[in-house]
Amino acid sequence: MTTSDLEVAARLPQIRGPLSAAVVDTLAGGRRDDFDLDAAVGADPFGEDLQLALHVCYELHYQGFAEVDADWEWDISLLAFRAALERVFLDGLRQAVPGGEDVEALLDELLIEPADGNGVSHFLRDDGAWWHVEEYFAHRSIYHLKEADPHAWVIPRLRGRAKAALVAVEFDEFGGGRAEQAHSQLFADLLTAAGLSDGYLAYLDHVPAHTLATVNMMSLFGLHRSLRGALVGHFASAEITTAPAARRMDEALRRLGGAKECRYFYTEHIEADAVHEQVLRHDVIGDLLKREPGLAADIAFGIQATGLLEDRLSDHLMRCWSLGESSLLRPLRLP
């Protein structure tokens, strides 16, 4: 690992149970021992231990960790253990959503904004304090500092119009060829302007499983060709729901006097994602279903799983904040 890699790579996180200990301790020690493939049986699919273990495994396919050999990415024993964790997570997701194949109905439903919405962005717009915003930034940093990377895995698994259209969306996500405009860099700028760390995975030890699960789902779908439909469904769902929430976040930051760099991240998404939702719905999903109509159930699953995990995270945030408590596992700053 080069010096530049060490400057951006995260440190291994603190363990949260036996599953994450098996992964973290193995990587920290650099030893290749056999994993207990039955250890995940009966584990909470959305629990702290399993979600952290999965996140560490998946991160080996992204930026990796400081002082962890890059060859661990394809270690057979670790991949087998990851597969056991994935089975529990995937089964948990499938059991928690209704299923079905009516993709159009699900997408239409996402376009309906309830008049009495009471989610996180509504709360931050109307009543949130700056500490709520800071916590929200920390939660979202786990994904936004690698924004669009998980979706890139699906590109070689598509063909024709669906592939070309998805690449066009990704091109925008990565800044249209301008590094300073890549959405991950815009979020790093947001964190700096907010007085928070812009370090990659700097808040991994702070965020709970609710947050990790939303990112792990993307990696799970993206790294498996068999789940390409689910990844496309997730991507469409995310793009459709982002623009309205981004508008509310801009209003929240304007009310609270947030820096222009904080607001710019969201105003950029208001414009971009309004276009992306149409491209994904008609050009990506439309073409994919023409080519592979059997993927309808998987696309529906991706949409539903995204809603499930975002609702779980939203419920966690609102429950904590309604009690005047932090939604994080540890404070953002030491006393």
Side-chain angles (χ1 to χ4, degrees), residues 23 37 125 130 149 209 238 250 261 263 267 283 288 305 315 322 324:
V23 175
L37 300 184
R125 179 194 63 190
W130 187 251
D149 287 351
D250 177 49
E261 292 87 353
R263 292 184 57 197
T267 56
D283 297 333
L288 181 59
D315 289 346
S322 68

Side-chain angles (χ1 to χ4, degrees), residues 172-222:
D172 286 347
E173 299 282 341
F174 291 124
R178 298 171 58 195
E180 71 278 6
Q181 287 296 309
H183 289 183
S184 58
Q185 181 58 54
L186 295 183
F187 199 79
D189 296 341
L190 171 152
L191 291 169
T192 299
L196 298 171
S197 172
D198 67 350
Y200 185 76
L201 295 184
Y203 296 112
L204 182 56
D205 281 328
H206 295 72
V207 302
H210 301 85
T211 303
L212 299 181
T214 64
V215 186
N216 285 341
M217 175 192 61
M218 303 180 208
S219 298
L220 171 66
F221 292 167

Side-chain angles (χ1 to χ4, degrees), residues 202-279:
Y203 296 112
L204 182 56
D205 281 328
H206 295 72
V207 302
H210 301 85
T211 303
L212 299 181
T214 64
V215 186
N216 285 341
M217 175 192 61
M218 303 180 208
S219 298
L220 171 66
F221 292 167
L223 288 168
H224 291 271
R225 181 177 173 274
S226 62
L227 294 170
R228 62 194 180 281
L231 191 282
V232 168
H234 153 72
F235 201 3
S237 177
E239 296 297 296
I240 287 173
T241 56
T242 292
R247 184 174 294 106
R248 288 188 289 270
M249 286 301 301
D250 177 49
E251 292 169 353
L253 291 168
R254 186 165 62 243
R255 177 177 66 83
L256 293 168
K260 61 180 175 49
E261 292 87 353
C262 296
R263 292 184 57 197
Y264 182 65
F265 174 80
Y266 291 103
T267 56
E268 173 68 12
H269 280 74
I270 295 171
E271 180 179 351
D273 289 357
V275 175
H276 293 170
E277 69 175 62
Q278 295 300 316
V279 174

Side-chain angles (χ1 to χ4, degrees), residues 72-193:
W72 275 106
E73 179 181 9
W74 299 112
D75 181 80
I76 294 174
S77 60
L78 184 57
L79 288 174
F81 189 60
R82 191 191 85 188
L85 301 172
E86 287 178 325
R87 283 192 292 272
V88 174
F89 184 34
L90 187 58
D91 287 347
L93 288 173
R94 291 196 185 281
Q95 292 170 16
V97 300
E101 299 182 3
D102 195 341
V103 174
E104 285 299 312
L106 289 169
L107 293 175
D108 285 342
E109 186 177 343
L110 290 176
L111 290 169
I112 301 173
E113 277 275 298
D116 58 346
N118 57 0
V120 170
S121 60
H122 296 85
F123 169 77
L124 294 176
R125 179 194 63 190
D126 299 334
D127 302 303
W130 187 251
W131 72 269
H132 296 119
V133 171
E134 288 184 325
E135 289 198 358
Y136 185 72
F137 289 167
H139 284 285
R140 291 307 191 185
S141 71
I142 306 303
Y143 167 64
H144 283 312
L145 291 179
K146 61 159 67 77
E147 184 165 346
D149 287 351
H151 308 119
W153 299 114
V154 82
I155 293 173
R157 292 155 184 180
L158 301 176
R159 291 179 291 168
R161 181 182 173 193
K163 173 182 280 194
L166 191 135
V167 168
V169 172
E170 286 282 87
F171 185 65
D172 286 347
E173 299 282 341
F174 291 124
R178 298 171 58 195
E180 71 278 6
Q181 287 296 309
H183 289 183
S184 58
Q185 181 58 54
L186 295 183
F187 199 79
D189 296 341
L190 171 152
L191 291 169
T192 299

Side-chain angles (χ1 to χ4, degrees), residues 20-48:
S20 54
V23 175
V24 171
D25 291 348
T26 295
L27 295 177
R31 65 182 190 280
R32 284 174 165 77
D33 296 335
D34 291 333
F35 289 89
D36 180 0
L37 300 184
D38 295 324
V41 176
D44 180 355
F46 307 112
E48 298 292 343

